């Protein structure tokens, strides 16, 4: 069995999506045309900054899957996996179990594509050990963490990046 190594974890909120109530099932809301364009621009910027991921783990909702597909299409990762734990109100403890298993593979760079307020709450648990509801992740924003072994991650992770999308876009975009 491989030794678990620290994980660079990036939590990425899906891009701008259709308004709530415009689809019978909220799970079906896609990215808007503007959301698609901005998400592409942000993905290109992340690539230019040298980011890449061994795995993109996405919520099963359409808007998150589309965001993951865009990130993959620009070359940030070849592997896109759907994870039910990343759906709204997902199971953090079950995801930590998944993370422990993933860390055993020797991989070290992971991106989660999901929803608010879950992503910022999960980041707070990992960094602070509790939820304070003071962090907000904007659509297509990024939180980067250095995460130790999953069993030690709560309150022991380090915040290395918190960026709203406007800081990833050039002024003319």
């Amino acid at each position: 069995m491989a030794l678990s190594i620290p994980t660079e974890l990036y939590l990425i909120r899906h891009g701008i999506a259709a308004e709530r109530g415009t689809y019978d099932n909220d799970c079906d809301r896609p990215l808007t045309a503007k959301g698609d364009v901005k998400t592409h621009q942000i993905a290109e910027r992340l690539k230019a900054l040298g980011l890449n991921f061994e795995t993109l783990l996405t919520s099963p909702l359409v808007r998150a899957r589309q965001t993951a597909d865009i990130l993959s299409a620009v070359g940030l990762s070849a592997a896109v996996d759907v994870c039910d734990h990343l759906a709204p109100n997902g199971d953090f403890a079950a995801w930590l179990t998944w993370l422990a298993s993933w860390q055993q593979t020797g991989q070290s760079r992971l991106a989660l594509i999901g929803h608010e307020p879950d992503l910022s709450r999960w980041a707070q648990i990992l960094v602070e050990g509790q939820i304070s509801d003071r962090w907000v992740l904007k659509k297509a924003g990024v939180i980067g963490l250095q995460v130790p072994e999953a069993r030690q991650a709560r309150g022991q992770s380090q915040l290395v990046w918190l960026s709203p999308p406007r800081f990833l876009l050039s002024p003319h975009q």
Side-chain angles (χ1 to χ4, degrees), residues 50-101:
L51 281 185
N52 59 56
F53 311 104
E54 284 135 338
T55 304
L56 291 171
L57 195 63
T58 182
S59 157
L61 278 62
V62 169
R63 56 195 177 271
R65 287 193 340 257
Q66 289 175 319
T67 299
D69 289 343
I70 291 168
L71 297 173
S72 179
V74 302
L76 291 170
S77 180
V80 177
D81 295 325
V82 175
C83 178
D84 290 340
H85 306 312
L86 292 172
N89 300 309
D91 188 337
F92 178 75
W95 173 78
L96 267 182
T97 299
W98 178 93
L99 178 63
S101 176

Side-chain angles (χ1 to χ4, degrees), residues 37-38 41 44-45 165-173:
V37 168
K38 284 195 168 195
Q41 292 168 340
E44 292 287 352
R45 180 71 174 134
R166 68 178 180 200
F167 292 150
L168 295 170
L169 297 172
S170 68
H172 64 275
Q173 292 178 321

Side-chain angles (χ1 to χ4, degrees), residues 11-142:
L11 298 96
I12 303 171
R13 187 172 176 193
H14 65 78
I16 300 167
E19 291 294 320
R20 292 183 194 276
T22 56
Y23 285 77
D24 291 336
N25 186 341
D26 186 63
C27 297
D28 296 331
R29 284 193 300 129
L31 296 179
T32 62
K34 180 179 180 180
D36 187 84
V37 168
K38 284 195 168 195
T39 301
H40 270 95
Q41 292 168 340
I42 288 168
E44 292 287 352
R45 180 71 174 134
L46 295 175
K47 182 71 175 169
L49 290 170
L51 281 185
N52 59 56
F53 311 104
E54 284 135 338
T55 304
L56 291 171
L57 195 63
T58 182
S59 157
L61 278 62
V62 169
R63 56 195 177 271
R65 287 193 340 257
Q66 289 175 319
T67 299
D69 289 343
I70 291 168
L71 297 173
S72 179
V74 302
L76 291 170
S77 180
V80 177
D81 295 325
V82 175
C83 178
D84 290 340
H85 306 312
L86 292 172
N89 300 309
D91 188 337
F92 178 75
W95 173 78
L96 267 182
T97 299
W98 178 93
L99 178 63
S101 176
W102 184 84
Q103 287 177 324
Q104 291 298 316
T105 68
Q107 297 180 84
S108 64
R109 209 178 244 186
L110 171 67
L112 306 182
I113 294 82
H115 312 274
E116 276 295 286
D118 298 334
L119 291 178
S120 59
R121 287 179 176 171
W122 287 21
Q124 289 171 56
I125 292 168
L126 290 167
V127 173
E128 299 174 356
Q130 63 187 0
I131 296 171
S132 65
D133 281 334
R134 289 183 293 208
W135 300 15
V136 176
L137 186 58
K138 299 289 186 183
K139 290 181 177 124
V142 179

